[in-house]
Amino acid sequence: MLQSASTTIHKWLAQPWPQMKMDLRIVLVLACGSSAGFLALRWMRKKRIRKQILEARSKRNNGLKEMEKAVSEFKQQNPGIQTTSILSLPLAELAEKLKEGSLSPESVLYTYMEKALTVTQKVNCVRHFIPECEQHLQELKKQKQKGLLYGIPVSIKDHIAYKGHLSTCGFTQSLSELQEEDSVLVKVLKRQGANPFVFTNVPQSLLSYDCGNSIFGQTVNPLDHKRTPGGSSGGEGALIAGGGSILGFGSDLGGSIRLPSSFCGICGFKPTAGRLSNSGIRGPIDGILSVMGTVGPMARNVDSLVLCMRALLCADLFQLDPTLPPMPFNEEVFSSSTPLRVGFFDTDGYFLLPPCMRRAVHTTKKLLQEAGHTLVPFTPPSVHYAIDELFFKGVFADGGSTLSAIFYYYLRHYCTVFQFLCNCSSRFITSLTAVALHIQAYRQSFAAEWKKCKLDVILCPVLGPAFTLGYPAKVLTAISSTMLFNVLNFPAGVVPVTTVTEEDDKELKEYQGLYGDPWDKKLKEAVKGAVGLPVAVQCVALPWQEELCLRFMKEIETLSCKGRQKKAT
């Protein structure tokens, strides 16, 4: 082939100059024409994308106006609704009043619609209003049997499928593709009487612990608008923390439920992957097998998480998704008062968290000891290996084909590289298998160390307090404390226990991290000036022991509340 090309060139060079000049002109015209054509196509594509974005924003804004109009009409027809009283009720008490009929489902729905509108105007957390919630409310009232979540308005993360609506993951290419049916999660929620009424915002691709995208913009933290609410379930965290939702649903592949919960001062729970259904959930958690993601609830308190899990772990769930183990909520385990043997650590040795987060662990440890529980120091084994070799390689062990397929799904009209990656995925099967085996071995060794220490649960830190906007992208590995339990596939939850103090802020000035490297310095910059913001701890149990993990979370919440009350007096 090279010899043939060389011969052709020599022949061309041997031509008379006038002929060569003509050929060069033709080549230049063709080259210029190709460049102009490419630039024209690029401009047209950008114009089309811009149009899609503007149309999506317009549709979102029109939906919010419809929401506002519906609230206004209801209030005119029903003056005297005690919205403040409704918003102050805990989920369990609200559900009870709805069941007994002392509160109407309409009054609760429109109260939360109004509050959600107020919150999103300040922090941009609602992606879309779900107008079908009004019709669904009428259908709920006709049901003979009232579910555990009867009449409760709930919010759902952008990528949880609801029939006739978008699941964008923050990508423009999904703006014309509506979901054909509800996700299993939405179906079970409806059967239990819940009423999904808004979608919440996410970062593009969901692979971030910030919360903003080019379509719907940046969501900010309701506690401090200069800070992020966390991600990728940041819209949920912001809406719940702002009081615009009493119960919401996110997803968690590396901390995407737990980080927004920590940053926003609410409770969040990541079950064992496979305890709840991921069917109908778009994005990274729907396909990555080595490191498993899952959906989970977010709320203001642990009791709300418990009621939610109790409602979801029902016969309808197991019938709609028969791949799940038929394990109803274990009331005996959750209600037990047997003292616990708790392993604890204030650093995983991979990334040293700010002083306030480590203080929270030791303060909570003391409260647990005073309550009669046994606290045992625990060193998580081989965390560097778990994060560097297992988490990242587990996510990309298929050569990135799962993730590239997601990107390709949304960007296939614009970038052929993703198609190339998808076509090449077969060469990474050996790597995928190897990483899966290594992850399984690590889970077994971690569980063996757990059993050796005779632990029931673990108390450990979670990343926080809320970062200043723009910093999550600069400090990716700071989330090792949550990533670890995705590798392990252990249930884990977050409970706020205190706030950042002036003393914490002073100690932060001396913070050097583990290595004093640029990432440690960026973390210090990200969290400075956070006095008064919430500080949480993380609670962990062994796989399939969600009820024990929730019981531990409830114990910590109760003791922390008593501790604050005692300190106040």
Side-chain angles (χ1 to χ4, degrees), residues 83-96:
T83 57
T84 303
S85 175
I86 291 172
L87 293 170
S88 69
L89 291 173
L91 177 61
E93 191 174 343
L94 179 62
E96 188 60 35

Side-chain angles (χ1 to χ4, degrees), residues 184 188 275 277 312-321 324:
V184 167
V188 177
R275 190 76 194 267
S277 177
L312 292 176
L313 295 173
C314 63
D316 286 327
L317 175 68
F318 310 131
Q319 181 267 322
L320 289 166
D321 190 345
L324 302 178

Side-chain angles (χ1 to χ4, degrees), residues 3 40 117 127 130 222 245 265-266 317 320 387 420 422 493 499 502 536:
Q3 187 175 1
L117 281 165
R127 194 209 76 193
I130 303 175
S245 176
I266 63 173
L317 175 68
L320 289 166
I387 302 302
F420 169 77
C422 292
T499 56
E502 295 282 358

Side-chain angles (χ1 to χ4, degrees), residues 406-426:
I406 294 164
F407 281 88
Y408 173 63
Y409 176 81
Y410 297 112
L411 304 174
R412 59 188 179 275
H413 301 300
Y414 306 110
C415 192
T416 57
V417 67
F418 292 105
Q419 186 173 18
F420 169 77
L421 286 171
C422 292
N423 292 337
C424 292
S425 62
S426 61

Side-chain angles (χ1 to χ4, degrees), residues 85-146:
S85 175
I86 291 172
L87 293 170
S88 69
L89 291 173
L91 177 61
E93 191 174 343
L94 179 62
E96 188 60 35
K97 287 183 178 295
L98 283 163
K99 271 190 175 182
E100 67 185 21
S102 58
L103 276 178
S104 71
E106 289 92 345
S107 64
V108 175
L109 173 63
Y110 290 107
T111 292
Y112 270 98
M113 283 170 60
E114 182 179 36
K115 184 63 176 179
L117 281 165
T118 301
V119 175
T120 200
Q121 286 167 4
K122 296 177 181 178
V123 302
N124 188 39
C125 55
V126 172
R127 194 209 76 193
H128 277 101
F129 169 51
I130 303 175
E132 291 89 340
C133 68
E134 295 182 279
Q135 177 59 38
H136 183 60
L137 184 68
Q138 302 309 315
E139 295 171 4
L140 284 175
K141 293 168 69 176
K142 296 174 185 177
Q143 291 180 356
K144 293 181 180 179
Q145 188 173 359
K146 296 179 180 178

Side-chain angles (χ1 to χ4, degrees), residues 14-25:
Q15 293 182 106
W17 170 242
Q19 183 61 46
M20 289 176 62
K21 192 173 180 182
M22 180 63 71
D23 289 345
L24 285 169
R25 285 175 178 173

Side-chain angles (χ1 to χ4, degrees), residues 275-296:
R275 190 76 194 267
L276 297 178
S277 177
N278 284 346
S279 179
I281 312 297
R282 301 285 292 280
I285 72 166
D286 183 27
I288 296 174
L289 299 178
S290 297
V291 176
M292 295 181 281
T294 180
V295 293

